[in-house]
Amino acid sequence: MDRYIKLGVNIDHVATLRNARGGNYPDVIAAAKIAEQSGADSITVHLREDRRHINENDLENLLNNINVPLNLEIAAKQETIEIALNNQPKSICFVPENRQEITTEGGLDVKKNFNYLKEIIDPILKTDIEISVFVDPSEEQLQATKELGVKTIELHTGAYANAFENKLNIEFELDKLRSSAFLAKKLLLNCHAGHGLNFDNVVSIAKISNILELNIGHFIIADSIFNGLKKSIQKMRTIINEASL
Ligand code: PXP
């Protein structure tokens, strides 16, 4: 293998499913263990302000139970930063957060919020926690991130994923990601990417030479239904059949 791209598996939606019933099933730690045993280089979770999936308890349990690095996605807000600092994940990825959104809809506007981000992120840059920011693939965002003193960007691949699904402007969106990855290299920024990736659209992304890590969640969790549903139904059928003999 010439080049190895790390895979961070985002397990937020195991917690989404768990929270639908309020108990502890499916267990987030068990899912993280499977991810770890299946080749995930890191586990990613997004601690949202509204705690719609992962909560502080999960974060603590994950850090106590997994053997691969934990990448924590948070909004650049004092409350979540304090939680992150108390838990010491290997890395933090700053993402924009909007209460109404279904998912992280765009990158963090580092240029517009530069002074605020500088003030809030500066103290963490002095710790051992690796910092990245989730940005749209644009030159001005990369330049602003460089100025912030952050060493890693995660490129938002959502617009490309939508283009791929709609079969519209795919090359245009891909070119933005390619040139941003190229610029990241020039600026000596580590380049990660993620959002909306699946078995089909990940191929062109994995060919971009400067990308070091991909973070993928929703599709992997969703696809596992199709890989496991048949077995689960057959097992239930067998148990019911045998018990009712
Ligand atoms: N990277 C970041 C920074 C994210 O916020 C998300 C979504 O939480 C992902 C990657 C993964 O996106 P998806 O769940 O669509 O694979």
Side-chain angles (χ1 to χ4, degrees), residues 10 12-13 44 46 73 93 95 103-104 134 154 193-197 215-219:
N10 181 317
D12 286 344
H13 296 299
T44 295
H46 183 177
E73 295 173 4
C93 178
V95 298
T103 181
T104 316
F134 192 39
E154 178 164 335
H195 208 281
L197 297 179
N215 283 300
I216 307 182
H218 183 268
F219 174 79

Side-chain angles (χ1 to χ4, degrees), residues 71-92:
N71 175 40
L72 177 64
E73 295 173 4
I74 52 170
K77 293 187 183 153
Q78 209 57 53
E79 186 232 343
T80 36
I81 288 178
E82 266 170 37
I83 295 171
L85 291 176
N86 288 337
N87 283 279
Q88 294 285 307
K90 175 85 169 137
S91 57
I92 294 175

